[in-house]
Structure formats: C-alpha cells, structure tokens
Amino acid sequence: MKAIVWTKYGTPDVLELQEVEKPTPKDNEVRIRVYAAVVTPSDCAFRKADPMMIRLIYGLMKPKLNTQGVEFAGEIEAVGKDVKLFKKGDQVFGVSPNKFGAHAEYICVPEDKPMTLKPTNATYEETVAVCDGAPTALIFLRDTANIQRGQKILINGASGAVGAYAVQLAKYYGAEVTGVCSSANLELVKSLGADKVIDYTKEDFTKDDAQTYDVIFDAVGKSSFLLCKGSLKQKGIYLSTAAALGVMLQMLWTSKIGSKKVMFTTAGLKQNKENLIFLKDLFEAGNIKPVIDRRYPLEQTADAHRYVEKGHKKGNVVLTL
C-alpha cells in the first residue's frame, strides 16, 4: 500500500510517499481503507519535533513511529475475529492518537478506540474535516467551560480548525458569539453563525472596556490571560488550547485566587466514541458543517504541510486518497 513515511525530524521534505506492507488487523482491530485524512498543526509540530518535548515522548534522535496522521475516514475492509461493534463495509471515521498512521491507504484501529459510523449525509472529506477541530472545541466548551445558554463568548481564531467549530457549537448551546479573525475571513465566520465578528487587524478586543464576556476561548494560542483579563466578566473563564508553561501556572494560580479562571484541558486525551457520535448526530441534523480550506492528494502531503505551517488556513486541510 501507499503511505507517507518519515524517518527523521525536519522540513516537509522528510515526508516520502512509499510502498509499505499492508497492515493485518489483530483480533480486536478493524482494517480501514482510508479515503480521507487531514494535515493539522500538530502533524507539523511532530514532524519538526517542536516543542522539544516531542522528542522525549516519540523518539530522541528520530521518530519511533514512521507514519503520521491521526484523523481518518474510510470503509472497513477486514475485521479481527473478536470484533463485535463493526462489520466489513461499514463507513467510519475516528482518530488513532496512539500509533498514528492515517496518512496511508490502510490503517488498523482497535474497535474500542474513538471511532464510529460516519454521518449518512456527509462525504468522507466532510466527515474527516469535522473530526479535526470539532471534538477539541466540544471538550473545551461543553466539558471544561460548561457553556450555558445566554452567555457571551468570544472566540479568538474563529476561522481555524478549532475556532470554526467552536463558533457553531457555541451557537448550538445558545451562547451569544463574537468571533475574532482576519478581514479575509469575516464573511466565513459570519456564515458559521457568529453574532458579531471582529477584524483583529483593525480592532483589539482587549481594549474595548465596554464589552466583557463570560468565556474567552483562545483557539489559536496567540493571546494571553493577562491581556484578556479585563475583557472577562466576574467569574469569567479564559480557555486556551496552548499547553504552555505560563498557561499551566496561571491555571493553578487562578484556581486559588480571584474570580476569573484560566482553564486548559488535554483534549486529545479525552476523545471518545460518545463525542464522535454526538458530532455525527449534529452533522446529520444540520447543526454543524465542515470548513475545508484546501484538498491535497496523498502524494502532495509535503505541500499540505507547507501550507498548514504558514498559520493562515481556514478550517481544515484534507488529504484525499
């Protein structure tokens, strides 16, 4: 089968399309013919080993795992003898956070991992796009911030993979949503349901003393609690997707002092079947829609990396197989 293989850290040029052995599912696994995957900022970070902590976990001198890709959508081609939840021919989507491998024609995934049937009204590309960003936004907004109807929420980076779905989910839960993005993406964010859109190239929301929010969600990790503190209501929550030391220290500090809180969660470790089923139902009901910026064939994965790491993508960048 064809797969994107990398044997060293570095630029997108370390990614190579190679013929590798087709995987055989274990007794508790299904083998999926992958039809769509995504390239994310996390994929780029792993490729570059930036931050350095990646080397401590995934290989000091070279990556222990030679294939990339976490999110996938495809059709089950074979099942192990102990599999009970799925059958051959099922169209599924999910994530493989432990061993990666979605940037390939086939991937084997244990049936108990975050995976479920894809929405009936979605293409594989649309399905995998929702799989990248929406689960993270859901965990931050619903589970971490406990977002409530009528609250005011500001989403910084509202046109990105997490932000685009955060806008839609916040509206689903009945919040009043302000999206922050560049001038090029104003109409996109409005189309996702934002009640107000701020062009960060022309206006700094942190300097508007008249407007405060129950939740400020920094979906791109480019702001800070100190900058946003004045824009939070009493008992307001600042959410950040950035696993930075400063965020961790502020989270500990604000948990004990003051009414305004900093919150972070390891969303990648909290993905589960139930969340994917919930998002599937939302998609089928028309409550969320995918945002696909660009599509690349598998053989152009390196080009997809180059585009993603520029930091200006709208929603998702999809690989087609």
Side-chain angles (χ1 to χ4, degrees):
M1 70 169 187
K2 292 182 175 64
I4 297 297
V5 176
W6 63 316
T7 57
K8 59 184 178 181
Y9 299 113
T11 69
D13 294 326
V14 303
L15 303 173
E16 299 180 357
L17 182 68
Q18 294 185 10
E19 284 285 343
V20 300
E21 186 176 352
K22 188 175 179 180
T24 301
K26 297 177 182 177
D27 291 346
N28 67 329
E29 291 183 336
V30 299
R31 182 170 65 214
I32 300 160
R33 171 62 170 96
V34 178
Y35 288 114
V38 289
V39 173
T40 71
S42 294
D43 294 319
C44 296
F46 280 114
R47 190 202 73 238
K48 296 182 292 185
D50 182 19
M52 186 61 68
M53 186 183 299
I54 289 172
R55 290 181 181 266
L56 300 179
I57 301 172
Y58 293 97
L60 190 60
M61 302 305 295
K62 63 180 182 179
K64 297 176 183 177
L65 303 171
N66 292 331
T67 55
Q68 278 201 338
V70 173
E71 299 85 359
F72 61 85
E75 182 176 327
I76 293 178
E77 185 201 63
V79 298
K81 69 179 183 65
D82 295 333
V83 171
K84 295 179 175 59
L85 299 177
F86 301 98
K87 65 182 184 302
K88 183 178 179 180
D90 281 346
Q91 298 178 345
V92 296
F93 73 109
V95 294
S96 176
N98 301 117
K99 63 178 184 179
F100 305 165
H103 296 171
E105 289 183 312
Y106 295 90
I107 184 174
C108 287
V109 180
E111 68 167 342
D112 62 347
K113 292 299 181 182
M115 176 173 58
T116 191
L117 299 177
K118 81 174 186 65
T120 56
N121 56 342
T123 66
Y124 287 114
E125 295 171 20
E126 290 170 334
T127 301
V128 82
V130 170
C131 199
D132 169 35
T136 296
L138 180 66
I139 289 169
F140 270 94
L141 294 180
R142 183 194 65 189
D143 303 340
T144 306
N146 189 28
I147 190 169
Q148 299 293 313
R149 179 170 296 277
Q151 286 187 323
K152 290 187 176 182
I153 178 171
L154 179 139
I155 298 167
N156 189 37
S159 60
V162 175
Y165 297 106
V167 170
Q168 298 178 77
L169 288 168
K171 289 301 296 180
Y172 172 77
Y173 283 109
E176 181 182 319
V177 178
T178 296
V180 180
C181 60
S182 68
S183 53
N185 297 324
L186 294 177
E187 293 305 316
L188 167 64
V189 175
K190 288 179 184 177
S191 74
L192 297 175
D195 299 285
K196 180 182 177 182
V197 182
I198 296 174
D199 181 351
Y200 72 79
T201 67
K202 298 179 180 179
E203 182 180 351
D204 185 348
F205 73 87
T206 65
K207 296 181 179 179
D208 183 357
D209 297 331
Q211 187 62 258
T212 55
Y213 304 91
D214 297 285
V215 178
I216 293 178
F217 183 18
D218 184 8
V220 285
K222 292 185 178 180
S223 189
S224 71
F225 173 64
L226 294 179
L227 285 174
C228 297
K229 186 177 180 180
S231 299
L232 283 172
K233 294 182 179 182
Q234 293 302 314
K235 297 186 179 180
I237 295 172
Y238 174 79
L239 296 173
S240 177
T241 56
L245 178 60
V247 172
M248 301 299 109
L249 293 174
Q250 288 168 344
M251 184 170 66
L252 291 172
W253 178 260
T254 61
S255 69
K256 302 185 180 299
I257 297 177
S259 67
K260 301 178 182 182
K261 305 300 181 185
V262 175
M263 292 187 177
F264 168 82
T265 188
T266 52
L269 300 178
K270 296 182 178 181
Q271 309 296 358
N272 56 50
K273 286 182 183 291
E274 291 73 23
N275 285 352
L276 292 183
I277 292 170
F278 177 73
L279 293 169
K280 166 184 174 288
D281 292 342
L282 287 186
F283 189 104
E284 290 180 339
N287 290 311
I288 58 172
K289 60 183 180 181
V291 179
I292 299 176
D293 187 342
R294 294 189 180 186
R295 296 169 172 84
Y296 292 85
L298 182 65
E299 57 267 26
Q300 293 179 14
T301 299
D303 291 333
H305 273 245
R306 293 185 184 96
Y307 179 66
V308 169
E309 66 185 3
K310 289 179 180 178
H312 301 300
K313 71 180 179 70
K314 298 182 287 290
N316 314 102
V317 172
V318 173
L319 294 179
T320 59
L321 289 85

